[in-house]
Amino acid sequence: MEILLLGTGSADGWPNPFCRCASCTSSATQVRGQTAALVDDVLLLDCGPEAPRAAMRLRRSLAHVRHILFTHGHPDHVGPAALLMRHWTGAVEPLDVVGPPSALEQCRHWVGPDDPIRFVTVQAGDRIRLGDYDVRVLAAAHGADVGGDAVLYDMESVGARIFWATDTGPLPEETHAAVAGAGYDAVFLEETFGTYTDHGTEHHDLPAFAATVARLRDCGAVTDTTDVVAVHLSHHNPSEPELTAVLSDSGARPGRDGEVVRVGATDGGATRTLVLGGARSGKSAHAEALLAGEPAVTYLATGGVREGDPEWAERVRLHRARRPDSWRTVETTDVAEELRSAPHALLLDCLGTWLTARMDLHHVWDGDDGLDDGVLDPVHADIDELVAAWRDCPAPVVAVSNEVGSGVVPPTASGRLFRDLLGVLNARIAAASDEVVLMVAGRPLRLPAD
């Protein structure tokens, strides 16, 4: 099961676009839209007004969606205009629209009389089958202002089981009883109010979140291998590095918009992804989000420490602040062996600094009279070894690199040499990858293989 997080924020997102608090202005805080998820490209978990456009920004079509599950009728979770968008395409495939009355009543007037849409009204305690998914409907503690009919979803398919638990305060006793022994692969639990505990609403703050996760562990719903992801996050939380540290005490982590969580059976084994982009394009943050759902990650940092360079030190600090405390960092330019023997997921950041270090090692820059025959042979041998290790890596791996083909021509011979070699390296890694993503202005563009 693949769960793409279209949004992980509260109704006002995080940062709140009108706010100047410390949490909203922190440079380490990721931009989050309203919480929603796309499962296996065929099922939407909540579909607020931002969800369709979020899917487009992440280069995912909603044309294959056959099921939409709403948790409740609040406007950040129900965007009925999505049904009108679908109607305008002349879609003839059936679509299930599932949810409590507070959600479905908002949707019925947005469909045409001949649209192949089946509305399925549910309440806590129901169990339904939607395509490949067995869905149990569970009680939430939320939404008295929209009828008090908010629900949560326990969903199972092909050896994978997840719990979608937004929005809700501390779970009702009947829900704790229903999930006992579930052993979920992933739990997506709302955590709206952070350190603000006097909100008086049916949401989680950080102490309540920790208590709920503890109870889920006690009853066997959450195990040591469960990926516990905090969603519906707001600016009442501390900045992301602090939030990550607090959540880790519960064995949880904050979700990120655009991250993919994979659970249960997969069909492809290890995957190799190359993320390209220019300066400040968002390539490193996107690469980190791709692996955010992995239980363990080794971060291969090839840039090293540059003494006397405060700007570089600040870049390194921000990168480290974004990464979960559970990630292991290895600072090295000798990455081939790390790739070949990886026990778990790897993130290589970046190919450009790796290549620079290898060119330094082989004294490629020495001399001003051009390159003698054979000077580049050791560099090409290193590239050969890296590509072979990349291809043979037994674990999921993501590499970050600079896209150098569309910039100005470097004014020096050494600059042009580096550009050409990095272009060769990028092309060879791309050819050995399952997916190649180009980041442009923070937005990922997936590049076809042909």
Side-chain angles (χ1 to χ4, degrees):
M1 194 184 300
E2 178 196 84
I3 304 98
L4 169 64
L5 293 177
L6 301 177
T8 55
S10 58
D12 53 344
W14 183 28
N16 179 311
F18 295 93
C19 184
R20 297 295 297 168
C21 73
S23 177
C24 286
T25 57
S26 169
S27 61
T29 296
Q30 303 293 307
V31 175
R32 290 172 166 84
Q34 295 166 350
T35 293
L38 177 64
V39 180
D40 297 330
D41 286 332
V42 300
L43 187 149
L44 278 169
L45 286 167
D46 284 319
C47 181
E50 296 181 353
R53 205 55 56 196
M56 290 294 93
R57 283 193 290 271
L58 296 169
R59 311 298 292 178
R60 290 294 185 97
S61 171
L62 299 183
H64 301 293
V65 169
R66 299 293 175 264
H67 323 284
I68 301 177
L69 278 65
F70 292 111
T71 54
H72 62 294
H74 282 159
D76 55 318
H77 294 263
V78 180
L83 300 175
L84 183 60
M85 296 177 195
R86 188 176 190 270
H87 167 81
W88 284 335
T89 69
V92 297
E93 297 81 9
L95 174 69
D96 299 316
V97 179
V98 181
S102 66
L104 298 195
E105 288 168 4
Q106 300 179 54
C107 298
R108 296 184 189 275
H109 300 298
W110 290 81
V111 303
D114 298 322
D115 285 351
I117 291 179
R118 179 177 68 129
F119 288 100
V120 182
T121 302
V122 295
Q123 62 182 358
D126 289 346
R127 187 168 188 163
I128 57 175
R129 183 76 181 181
L130 298 172
D132 295 330
Y133 306 94
D134 185 27
V135 180
R136 290 198 307 161
V137 186
L138 304 178
H142 188 70
D145 59 321
V146 291
D149 58 2
V151 298
L152 313 174
Y153 292 109
D154 172 347
M155 196 166 71
E156 188 169 9
S157 176
V158 195
R161 191 173 182 183
I162 67 170
F163 184 24
W164 184 254
T166 184
D167 293 7
T168 183
L171 301 178
E173 290 300 322
E174 62 189 280
T175 299
H176 278 292
V179 302
Y184 291 111
D185 295 290
V187 169
F188 302 89
L189 178 63
E190 80 112 79
E191 193 283 291
T192 305
F193 279 100
T195 56
Y196 178 47
T197 57
D198 295 328
H199 48 87
T201 68
E202 293 176 309
H203 284 286
H204 282 89
D205 45 49
L206 279 169
F209 182 93
T212 292
V213 173
R215 287 202 62 185
L216 292 174
R217 289 190 187 281
D218 288 343
C219 75
V222 168
T223 70
D224 290 341
T225 60
T226 302
D227 190 8
V228 181
V229 184
V231 295
H232 209 267
L233 300 165
S234 83
H235 68 146
H236 292 290
N237 282 284
S239 65
E240 184 147 343
E242 184 179 346
L243 175 62
T244 299
V246 173
L247 291 175
S248 68
D249 292 338
S250 299
R253 61 181 182 83
R256 290 181 170 186
D257 290 23
E259 78 165 273
V260 175
V261 179
R262 293 183 176 90
V263 297
T266 60
D267 57 5
T271 58
R272 293 168 293 276
T273 303
L274 173 62
V275 181
L276 298 165
R280 301 301 192 191
S281 62
K283 56 186 182 294
S284 291
H286 181 76
E288 292 161 12
L290 291 176
L291 295 176
E294 295 291 333
V297 176
T298 294
Y299 186 99
L300 299 179
T302 61
V305 177
R306 302 178 185 178
E307 297 295 336
D309 189 339
E311 188 272 340
W312 180 259
E314 177 63 10
R315 286 183 181 225
V316 171
R317 186 192 70 78
L318 290 175
H319 275 233
R320 288 173 175 167
R322 286 201 308 259
R323 301 197 294 266
D325 291 341
S326 60
W327 286 23
R328 168 177 169 257
T329 298
V330 175
E331 293 186 353
T332 182
T333 60
D334 188 13
V335 300
E337 183 57 33
E338 294 282 348
L339 289 170
R340 282 191 292 262
S341 60
H344 49 242
L346 291 174
L347 196 161
L348 169 56
D349 194 354
C350 73
L351 293 179
T353 50
W354 174 85
L355 179 62
T356 298
R358 305 313 291 179
M359 294 174 75
D360 286 344
L361 177 68
H362 299 302
H363 306 288
V364 170
W365 315 111
D366 294 354
D368 298 321
D369 299 327
L371 296 171
D372 296 331
D373 290 341
V375 167
L376 292 180
D377 288 351
V379 178
H380 285 296
D382 286 347
I383 292 175
D384 290 342
E385 183 183 20
L386 180 68
V387 173
W390 173 264
R391 186 180 292 111
D392 295 339
C393 185
V397 59
V398 178
V400 177
S401 190
N402 297 292
E403 173 49 50
V404 293
S406 57
V408 298
V409 176
T412 65
S414 59
R416 292 190 292 273
L417 174 63
F418 172 78
R419 177 202 60 180
D420 293 347
L421 284 174
L422 185 56
V424 169
L425 175 58
N426 287 345
R428 293 193 60 188
I429 291 292
S433 297
D434 301 300
E435 187 171 69
V436 180
V437 177
L438 175 64
M439 296 298 298
V440 180
R443 297 185 178 184
L445 304 174
R446 287 176 173 79
L447 303 182
D450 50 20

